[in-house]
Amino acid sequence: MSRPKRNASSWLQSSFDFDDFDDSSTKRKNTSQGLQKSENENLTSFTNFETSISFKRPTSSLSALLAACAPQKASDLAVSRQKQQEINRWFKETVKEGKPTLLVVSGPSGCGKTEALKVIAKENNFDIVEWITPMDQAMDEYNRTMRQGERFEDFLIRATRYGSVLSDSRRLLLVKDIPNSYIDGKDDFSSLLQKYCQYGREPLIFVNTETGNSKLMTTLFSQSNRDRYGIDTININAATPTALKNVMKRVTTILNSKASHMLYVTQSKIDEVLSNTIGDVRSALLNLIFSSLKVKHKFESECTVREETLGLLHGIGRVINPKKNVEGKSWKFVHDPDDLASSFQTHSNTFIKFVHENYMNTMGFNMDGATKAIDVISLADVINSEWRDNNIHKVALSYLIRGVMVANDKPVSQWNPVRKPASWESDVQRNFSVAEVEWYERYINPKSNKQPDAEELSESMIDEVDW
């Protein structure tokens, strides 16, 4: 019985399409060959497209740039060859298959400890499994909250007992951040090391970002623990200027090729970064990236310019003896009043008192300027006494500095020591306290001396104050 031909305009469309059932096998063969050919062409074009994109697409992520600049072989490392040989010797001579071995690698931050371990471990056919302290809470099989110490212990015991079906390489445990529960409990950490020596099967490396005499090395990795559990130590020094120079030379090509749309690394930028480095490879690389950013408004780099720390005496001298740059009929202060005000905005009351005490030293016979200056100082003192607004102190300080500098249009240039303002306020407060205590004593014990009246008490207080 022949199968009826389905109507093309039918509202029901079957999931099994046999429209080509009557076609010849040759037609189906040609069709399948054509389809396969077209699929191969599409796959080839798609592969070429993906390949071109992967090499030509620019990178804008900082993490992607840092990953691209990571060393891939031993010659790219900033660690000295001697330290590389020590790590390589530990892998070849100390590490044994199926037995736990422990190593502590210490050194300053950014000297290349972790990158050296990754490169050398890869050369010795090891896959690194790194411990990262989790931020969220985990539950065990009994729905109980696990502490960080328990999760860390579970990681050390389980991570090396089960192999991976996707890789033939051995595993290496890397710990850069020890949980805080073990920092103070050295006995718990010692028992953890004992358990790992019993059940662990792969090498374990601790990375310490401090020096050899740090608290971590003297407590957790003390000499007794190192002798008991056979812990080896390798100390890596900070990167040398020659090593940093080689690293910067290597990453320059990578940064200019992968992020040319946002970075432009030049030799002057490299020299500028190297002149301020302290042996930290990570910091030098980040400084090179940020200093080489392409911006619309190009400013002068302040990487080598030290910020000025302005003292109180120098600030007072710049206010009461202002210097000007005269250009034709216009002039401008050498020292910006806004910069002076920002340096002393947290000590506005003290600065106003010092200006009040020393502003006449450079006025000379300029009585008009002195009058204007004392009016400015008085008004600034009144404004500064307002306590309901925190920004009012900045306004008072800015008004004082600008007013005194403008009022002293012809300062007398001579050496004048800055005098400390008189501390009469503390004397008045102390005298008021003494008067209050004496008044209470006479009120409680009326048989004592005769209580003076208010006028005599105030006159005596005023006489005692050193104005």
Side-chain angles (χ1 to χ4, degrees), residues 138-146 150 158:
M139 309 297 291
D140 60 3
E141 56 185 357
Y142 300 105
N143 292 329
R144 294 179 302 185
T145 302
M146 297 180 62
E150 297 176 353
R158 292 177 178 269

Side-chain angles (χ1 to χ4, degrees), residues 85-304:
Q85 292 175 359
E86 290 184 16
I87 299 174
N88 200 5
R89 191 182 307 116
W90 182 83
F91 275 104
K92 294 183 179 300
E93 299 178 1
T94 306
V95 176
K96 297 180 180 180
E97 187 174 359
K99 293 184 179 180
T101 50
L102 289 86
L103 173 66
V104 177
V105 179
S106 60
S109 177
C111 66
K113 305 181 294 295
T114 306
E115 298 299 331
L117 290 173
K118 290 181 178 179
V119 171
I120 298 176
K122 184 178 179 181
E123 292 179 352
N124 289 272
N125 199 23
F126 278 91
D127 290 336
I128 290 183
V129 181
E130 184 176 355
W131 160 261
I132 299 176
T133 303
M135 300 300 295
D136 55 342
Q137 295 182 351
M139 309 297 291
D140 60 3
E141 56 185 357
Y142 300 105
N143 292 329
R144 294 179 302 185
T145 302
M146 297 180 62
R147 298 179 301 172
Q148 281 192 1
E150 297 176 353
R151 301 178 68 176
F152 183 64
E153 180 179 350
D154 184 73
F155 167 78
L156 293 184
I157 301 303
R158 292 177 178 269
T160 59
R161 293 185 65 86
Y162 305 100
S164 175
V165 297
L166 303 177
S167 176
D168 297 333
S169 302
R170 297 177 57 186
R171 289 189 177 185
L172 168 67
L173 300 187
L174 182 64
V175 178
K176 297 175 60 178
D177 185 15
I178 300 176
N180 295 329
S181 58
Y182 292 108
I183 299 299
D184 297 329
K186 57 181 180 180
D187 295 334
D188 298 337
F189 189 75
S190 179
S191 62
L192 176 66
L193 294 180
Q194 184 177 1
K195 288 182 180 179
Y196 185 78
C197 291
Q198 293 177 356
Y199 302 105
R201 296 180 179 178
E202 298 295 347
L204 171 62
I205 298 180
F206 293 94
V207 177
N208 181 23
T209 57
E210 300 176 356
T211 58
N213 297 324
S214 64
K215 180 181 178 180
L216 194 66
M217 295 296 296
T218 55
T219 56
L220 301 185
F221 302 104
S222 59
Q223 188 62 41
S224 60
N225 285 341
R226 281 182 273 175
D227 296 338
R228 182 183 307 172
Y229 304 111
I231 303 175
D232 299 321
T233 58
I234 297 178
N235 185 25
I236 298 178
N237 300 324
T240 61
T242 304
L244 281 173
K245 187 176 181 180
N246 294 332
V247 172
M248 295 295 104
K249 183 179 179 180
R250 178 178 62 85
V251 302
T252 298
T253 307
I254 300 175
L255 295 177
N256 285 333
S257 60
K258 288 186 173 294
S260 58
H261 64 290
M262 57 180 291
L263 297 177
Y264 181 63
V265 184
T266 59
Q267 187 62 37
S268 61
K269 297 293 182 182
I270 296 176
D271 297 339
E272 184 179 345
V273 170
L274 292 178
S275 63
N276 293 273
T277 187
I278 54 175
D280 193 337
V281 181
R282 186 188 304 109
S283 177
L285 180 57
L286 291 175
N287 289 334
L288 180 63
I289 291 175
F290 287 114
S291 62
S292 303
L293 287 173
K294 294 180 180 180
V295 293
K296 294 181 179 179
H297 302 284
K298 195 68 175 179
F299 297 99
E300 182 182 358
S301 177
E302 298 180 357
C303 185
T304 58

